[in-house]
Amino acid sequence: MDKITIDKLKVFCNHGVYEEEKSVGQNFYVTAELYLDTYPAGISDDLSKSVNYAGLCHDITRFMQENCYNLIEAAAENLSAHILAENTAVRALDLTVYKPEAPIGLPFKNVSLTIHREWQKAYIALGSNIGDSRLILDNASEKISAAPEIRLLKKSSYILTKPYGEVEQEDFLNGCLEIETYFSPQHLLEFLHKIENEAGRTREIHWGPRTLDLDIILYGDKIINGEFITVPHQDMHNRMFVLEPLCEIAPYAYNPVLAKNALTLKNELLQKV
Ligand code: ROI
């Protein structure tokens, strides 16, 4: 992808753990590497189709001076969230915060932190079979879309489905969301667990009834086989309650493990049942 770089913008500000740093201040430097498609601006010669780097430099300076963090980690994290929220053309960002005057008491050239954040498309399956399921799923998608780290792009309709699995239980209400997020898969999962817990979710019977279930089905083209997270969802191809709403909003969403899109998986499952 194309890249615009702001190299070592000098900002005098007051971040630091020590009182002295907060009161006296010191010089920081910010490097922002912005990944975006500059082709639309390139062929039209129109600034509104790109990022105004002058405006962004002033914006970064203002942000760094109006906020006061203990850690450069917090300064970088919050600044990156701000840049990604304010500049919709920017798809990804490498942000470096340098602190060459840090109170270390030893000779050193510089200290810095670089973080990488990028918007990724992801699909979330929603399910509920306890309580007012429609309201529970509506509340969950509202909380998801309200997170600054997430943009809700599409929402399927809800469908009533027979319980999948061996446990005898009420029918489920299921749906699916297409989102864009700069949460990592792990942080997205933690965020979804928090919403499940707020809905009163308990994990008692395995594959049993639940007030709210939020599963990451796909996250970009990432394949993750971790201790606590598996992406793509390892059983999505067997679950019509996932594939049906997914196909409604994104029939061409691609499962990189099975090397098939949602529509193909749904058609294959229809052949089996
Ligand atoms: N079955 C259906 N139909 N819908 C679900 O959301 C659902 N979720 C589950 C199990 C219990 C496996 N079965 C389901 O977790």
Side-chain angles (χ1 to χ4, degrees):
M1 202 175 306
D2 310 321
K3 181 168 90 166
I4 293 177
T5 302
I6 293 169
D7 196 10
K8 295 210 177 90
L9 174 69
K10 184 176 177 180
V11 192
F12 189 87
C13 43
N14 300 73
H15 311 293
V17 171
Y18 301 116
E19 260 329 298
E20 173 100 346
E21 296 183 281
K22 292 191 206 299
S23 56
V24 177
Q26 62 192 295
N27 288 313
F28 289 72
Y29 296 80
V30 175
T31 292
E33 291 165 275
L34 314 167
Y35 296 88
L36 69 161
D37 178 9
T38 64
Y39 182 76
I43 55 162
S44 63
D45 207 11
D46 178 354
L47 178 59
S48 72
K49 294 191 163 61
S50 185
V51 172
N52 179 349
Y53 46 74
L56 184 56
C57 286
H58 286 277
D59 192 35
I60 292 172
T61 302
R62 210 177 312 117
F63 188 92
M64 290 290 280
Q65 292 180 335
E66 281 176 359
N67 295 282
C68 181
Y69 299 102
N70 292 326
L71 308 181
I72 52 174
E73 287 85 338
E77 196 61 54
N78 286 282
L79 178 57
S80 125
H82 177 76
I83 294 172
L84 288 172
E86 297 294 313
N87 298 276
T88 44
V90 176
R91 299 301 308 163
L93 171 68
D94 287 318
L95 188 69
T96 304
V97 175
Y98 298 89
K99 193 176 176 184
E101 299 161 18
I104 293 179
L106 287 170
F108 72 103
K109 191 145 183 228
N110 216 327
V111 59
S112 69
L113 163 76
T114 301
I115 64 171
H116 175 85
R117 298 291 175 266
E118 69 179 68
W119 289 107
Q120 288 276 0
K121 200 170 267 190
Y123 294 91
I124 312 291
L126 320 171
S128 165
N129 73 340
I130 299 178
D132 186 341
S133 293
R134 182 165 292 276
L135 187 66
I136 290 165
L137 298 194
D138 278 345
N139 284 342
S141 36
E142 258 166 48
K143 282 185 185 172
I144 289 169
S145 80
E149 299 87 350
I150 295 176
R151 292 183 188 135
L152 178 58
L153 301 179
K154 285 185 195 160
K155 182 177 173 183
S156 76
S157 30
Y158 299 145
I159 53 167
L160 207 55
T161 65
K162 293 285 163 210
Y164 166 83
E166 301 297 310
V167 181
E168 242 187 70
Q169 54 188 312
E170 295 292 314
D171 289 353
F172 279 83
L173 198 63
N174 286 111
C176 185
L177 305 179
E178 181 182 86
I179 63 165
E180 198 165 63
T181 183
Y182 59 84
F183 270 138
S184 67
Q186 288 75 11
H187 290 134
L188 177 61
L189 188 65
E190 278 171 27
F191 176 72
L192 297 178
H193 283 166
K194 186 167 108 355
I195 297 177
E196 286 178 345
N197 293 337
E198 285 167 2
R201 158 91 184 246
T202 51
R203 290 161 191 271
E204 277 149 19
I205 313 171
H206 187 53
W207 283 28
R210 63 250 347 251
T211 28
L212 178 62
D213 202 7
L214 298 173
D215 287 332
I216 303 174
I217 300 303
L218 299 167
Y219 181 102
D221 58 2
K222 295 237 179 324
I223 299 173
I224 305 162
N225 288 301
E227 194 181 344
F228 302 108
I229 184 167
T230 305
V231 176
H233 191 287
Q234 73 283 358
D235 200 33
M236 66 177 280
H237 55 293
N238 292 318
R239 299 182 170 200
M240 197 51 88
F241 68 87
V242 169
L243 294 174
E244 178 94 35
L246 177 61
C247 281
E248 183 193 329
I249 57 173
Y252 300 109
Y254 186 72
N255 180 318
V257 168
L258 303 172
K260 287 174 184 161
N261 68 33
L263 186 59
T264 305
L265 294 175
K266 181 180 154 195
N267 287 335
E268 286 181 358
L269 187 56
L270 281 170
Q271 302 291 310
K272 280 195 224 158
V273 290

